Amino acid sequence: MTHDEQLKAVKDFSYQKMSGDATGHNFDHIQRVVKTAKKILVTEAADPLITLSAAYLHDVADDKLVSDPAELEKEIRDFLKDNQFSNTQIEEIIFITHNLSFSKSLGSNPPKLSLAGQIVQDSDRLDAIGAIGITRAIYYGGANSDTIYDPKILPREKMNKKEYRNLNNETIINHFYEKLLKLTDMMNTSSAKKIAQSRNQYMLGFLAEFKAEWDAKK
Ligand code: ADP
Ligand code: NI
């Protein structure tokens, strides 16, 4: 198989696994992440087959989406083997999909991703900010019946632990402070950081407008 044929097989596999998802993780998200990864690959010397395969597969075995991530991970390994990926390539792709998440990056010992992994992580994070990010946050919050905004709810680090634990829901606006506004500084590659900065400005403008309207100041 040529690399193009391998990648086409990965794309079809991802489509089959992701197209039914309605939590903002559907195949449109995957295609945007792949497109962004391709753009970053123009200036970063990572292996395109590994990078783009990991981009296609990064949410397939997400424990938020499937009840048995280990089973899906096995399915992914078998699938890659059947499509002539080497064991080394399979291990790298699985490692990336396993270690991409925001929560893993916040831990005391964050996983060290290869350049391919860093590009997929940047691309996934770019899709969580800017106009798309705003839309996804509202879509997610709506699906989860979250409150839109409550000025008393602040990010975790700005509340005392007990107060925070007693909160029974997150608000959509607070999610920007908990996560989305932090992503720009966490970008790995310089091209992603540049894109992130402009998307971050857009979110800050949105939040300022939102609060002004909330307080009837505008
Ligand atoms: P991914 O794994 O692709 O980075 P997540 O599963 O963390 O994304 O979330 C999917 C989308 O929903 C993201 O755009 C994220 O910002 C948004 N989201 C996640 N949790 C919340 C929340 N509590 N409130 C609002 N939006 C959220
Ligand atoms: Ni994702």
Coordinates of all heavy atoms in Angstrom, one line a residue, residues 25 29 59 62 64 124 128 136-137 140 146 170 175 179-180, ligand 1:
H25 N -17.8 16.0 18.8 CA -16.7 15.2 18.4 C -16.9 14.5 17.1 O -16.2 13.5 16.7 CB -16.4 14.1 19.4 CG -15.5 14.5 20.5 ND1 -16.0 14.9 21.7 CD2 -14.2 14.7 20.5 CE1 -14.9 15.2 22.4 NE2 -13.8 15.1 21.7
H29 N -15.3 17.6 13.3 CA -14.2 18.0 14.2 C -12.9 17.3 13.7 O -11.9 17.9 13.6 CB -14.5 17.6 15.6 CG -13.4 17.6 16.5 ND1 -12.6 18.7 16.9 CD2 -12.8 16.5 17.2 CE1 -11.6 18.3 17.7 NE2 -11.7 17.0 17.9
D59 N -9.7 10.7 18.6 CA -10.9 10.7 19.5 C -11.6 9.3 19.4 O -12.6 9.2 20.1 CB -11.9 11.8 19.2 CG -11.5 13.2 19.8 OD1 -10.8 13.1 20.9 OD2 -11.8 14.2 19.2
D62 N -11.7 7.6 22.8 CA -11.9 8.5 23.9 C -12.8 7.9 25.0 O -13.9 7.5 24.6 CB -12.4 9.9 23.4 CG -12.4 11.0 24.5 OD1 -12.5 10.7 25.7 OD2 -12.2 12.1 24.1
K64 N -14.6 9.4 27.0 CA -15.8 10.1 27.2 C -16.9 9.6 26.1 O -18.0 9.9 26.3 CB -15.6 11.6 27.0 CG -14.8 12.3 28.1 CD -14.9 13.8 28.0 CE -14.1 14.4 26.9 NZ -12.6 14.2 26.9
D124 N -5.9 19.9 17.6 CA -7.1 19.6 18.4 C -7.5 20.8 19.3 O -8.6 21.2 19.4 CB -6.8 18.4 19.3 CG -8.1 17.8 20.0 OD1 -9.2 17.8 19.3 OD2 -8.0 17.3 21.1
A128 N -10.7 24.0 19.6 CA -11.5 24.3 20.9 C -11.5 25.8 21.1 O -12.2 26.2 22.1 CB -10.9 23.6 22.1
R136 N -18.6 25.3 19.8 CA -18.6 24.0 20.4 C -18.9 24.0 21.9 O -19.6 23.1 22.4 CB -17.2 23.3 20.2 CG -17.0 22.9 18.7 CD -15.6 22.3 18.6 NE -15.5 20.9 19.0 CZ -14.4 20.3 19.4 NH1 -13.3 20.9 19.5 NH2 -14.5 19.0 19.8
A137 N -18.4 25.1 22.6 CA -18.6 25.2 24.0 C -20.1 25.3 24.3 O -20.7 24.7 25.2 CB -17.9 26.3 24.6
Y140 N -21.9 22.0 23.5 CA -21.7 21.0 24.5 C -22.5 21.4 25.8 O -23.2 20.5 26.3 CB -20.2 21.0 24.9 CG -19.8 20.1 26.0 CD1 -19.1 18.9 25.7 CD2 -20.0 20.4 27.3 CE1 -18.7 18.0 26.7 CE2 -19.7 19.5 28.3 CZ -19.0 18.4 28.0 OH -18.6 17.5 29.0
D146 N -26.3 22.7 30.8 CA -25.5 23.6 31.7 C -26.1 25.0 31.6 O -26.7 25.4 30.6 CB -24.1 23.7 31.2 CG -23.2 22.5 31.5 OD1 -23.7 21.6 32.3 OD2 -22.1 22.4 31.0
E170 N -21.0 23.3 36.0 CA -20.2 24.2 35.4 C -21.0 25.1 34.5 O -22.1 24.7 34.1 CB -19.1 23.5 34.6 CG -18.5 24.2 33.5 CD -17.0 24.1 33.4 OE1 -16.4 25.0 34.0 OE2 -16.5 23.3 32.6
H175 N -16.3 27.7 31.5 CA -15.4 26.8 30.7 C -14.3 27.6 29.9 O -13.2 27.1 29.8 CB -16.3 26.0 29.8 CG -15.5 24.9 29.0 ND1 -14.9 23.9 29.7 CD2 -15.2 24.8 27.7 CE1 -14.2 23.1 28.7 NE2 -14.4 23.7 27.6
K179 N -10.5 26.5 30.8 CA -9.8 25.8 29.8 C -9.4 26.6 28.6 O -8.3 26.8 28.2 CB -10.6 24.5 29.4 CG -9.9 23.7 28.3 CD -10.6 22.4 28.1 CE -10.0 21.6 26.9 NZ -10.8 20.4 26.6
L180 N -10.4 27.1 27.9 CA -10.2 27.7 26.6 C -9.2 28.8 26.5 O -8.4 28.9 25.6 CB -11.5 28.1 25.9 CG -12.6 26.9 25.9 CD1 -13.9 27.4 25.2 CD2 -12.1 25.6 25.4
Ligands
ADP1 P1 -11.4 17.4 22.8 O1 -11.1 16.1 23.5 O2 -11.7 17.3 21.3 O3 -10.4 18.5 23.1 P2 -13.5 17.7 24.8 O4 -14.1 16.3 24.8 O5 -12.8 18.1 26.0 O6 -12.7 18.0 23.4 O7 -14.7 18.7 24.5 C1 -15.4 18.8 23.3 C2 -15.8 20.2 23.1 O8 -16.7 20.6 24.1 C3 -14.6 21.2 23.2 O9 -14.7 22.2 22.2 C4 -14.7 21.7 24.6 O10 -14.2 23.0 24.8 C5 -16.2 21.7 24.8 N1 -16.4 21.4 26.3 C6 -15.9 20.4 27.0 N2 -16.4 20.5 28.3 C7 -17.2 21.6 28.4 C8 -17.9 22.2 29.4 N3 -18.0 21.8 30.6 N4 -18.6 23.3 29.0 C9 -18.6 23.8 27.8 N5 -17.9 23.3 26.8 C10 -17.2 22.2 27.0

